[in-house]
Amino acid sequence: MLDQTTDLKNLLKDPTLLESRAYVDGAWITGDKTFSVTNPARGDVIAEVCDLSREQVAKAIDAAYTAQKEWATWTGKERAAVLRKWFDLMMENQNDLGIIMTAEQGKPLAEAKGEIAYAAGFIEFFGEEAKRIYGETIPGHQRDKRIMVMKQPIGVAASITPWNFPSAMITRKAGPALAAGCAFVARPAKETPLSAIALAVLAERAGVPAGVFNVVTSSSSSDIGKEFCENPKVRK
């Protein structure tokens, strides 16, 4: 009889990418509860992931709110350099990230690796755009008036992403937010949190400051969604 368990850690060149804790304010945290992540092809449990409460997610938003103030003072070039490093690390670990995605989401490895390149592309593109966040002047309504627009980061951005593109739908949102000087709180789908947490591992290695990028894992989409929508510190 064939072994129907997924030994995911032993499949990875860098096993430290397989993390089951949430990432908040530059720290790896646990909660009182966990939820199971299963391999959809085999049905076996591949990880027990930290199940954060709404109160813990509110604290993550507080951390992002505080960290964003400093991040917003960085120049576009400085933010771009960090995002470029994050992109490079994603591409260096493309195979491992693809293996994690295949194990928890089910798409073929070639397609999973393709998504990693696609996901990394958003970090690369918006990182470059960080250097080119230009203001503008607008023709005035009176002869003695001049209208100028200055673009500034709005604050904390939050995302709730689906299971079918567990990496790309996060970087598509986090890339422009971080490039603009916003902080970010990501809540991945409970079916596919491991890909999101692996992105946080690499973001930390790339030098994204504590609190600027957070991954809150939870089995309660309703509670976390309400916190994101009702917390006044979440601006986007």
Side-chain angles (χ1 to χ4, degrees):
M1 183 176 178
L2 292 175
D3 183 6
Q4 292 300 305
T5 60
T6 307
D7 190 1
L8 184 52
K9 184 161 285 191
N10 281 336
L11 295 174
L12 303 177
K13 182 178 179 181
D14 181 0
T16 63
L17 292 174
L18 183 60
E19 178 60 71
S20 60
R21 294 171 293 178
Y23 184 65
V24 174
D25 198 17
W28 296 98
I29 66 170
T30 58
D32 296 330
K33 300 188 299 179
T34 62
F35 61 92
S36 299
V37 179
T38 60
N39 182 332
R42 293 175 171 174
D44 64 309
V45 175
I46 55 177
E48 292 289 342
V49 173
C50 175
D51 194 354
L52 296 185
S53 66
R54 179 170 178 174
E55 291 72 23
Q56 287 175 301
V57 172
K59 290 180 180 179
I61 293 169
D62 289 342
Y65 182 81
T66 299
Q68 189 271 330
K69 307 302 183 185
E70 170 64 23
W71 181 241
T73 67
W74 288 36
T75 67
K77 184 177 181 181
E78 289 171 329
R79 293 195 295 266
V82 172
L83 291 173
R84 180 71 202 191
K85 180 61 175 177
W86 194 11
F87 162 79
D88 289 339
L89 288 170
M90 287 182 68
M91 294 309 298
E92 288 171 15
N93 293 277
Q94 182 181 14
N95 192 67
D96 276 357
L97 295 175
I99 289 171
I100 292 171
M101 187 183 299
T102 293
E104 68 173 348
Q105 197 274 340
K107 63 180 62 177
L109 181 59
E111 188 174 338
K113 290 169 64 176
E115 182 183 332
I116 296 304
Y118 177 54
F122 289 119
I123 301 300
E124 179 187 36
F125 178 87
F126 288 108
E128 291 298 314
E129 287 298 293
K131 307 171 190 175
R132 291 181 282 274
I133 302 177
Y134 301 135
E136 58 186 329
T137 57
I138 299 171
H141 61 292
Q142 293 178 348
R143 292 182 181 182
D144 61 343
K145 299 295 189 295
R146 178 183 297 168
I147 302 172
M148 295 184 293
V149 176
M150 179 184 295
K151 297 181 180 179
Q152 295 178 316
I154 195 170
V156 176
S159 72
I160 299 174
T161 47
W163 61 271
N164 57 334
F165 286 91
S167 292
M169 291 303 99
I170 290 177
T171 59
R172 188 175 187 173
K173 298 166 175 58
L178 267 60
C182 296
F184 200 79
V185 182
R187 189 267 173 180
K190 64 182 178 64
E191 294 85 359
T192 55
L194 301 177
S195 291
I197 304 172
L199 292 179
V201 172
L202 297 180
E204 183 179 47
R205 293 178 189 175
V208 176
V212 171
F213 181 73
N214 308 272
V215 175
V216 292
T217 51
S218 174
S219 63
S220 179
S221 56
S222 177
D223 282 351
I224 307 313
K226 287 178 182 177
E227 185 61 36
F228 282 175
C229 292
E230 296 173 2
N231 192 314
K233 291 180 179 177
V234 176
R235 300 299 308 280
K236 193 61 148 180

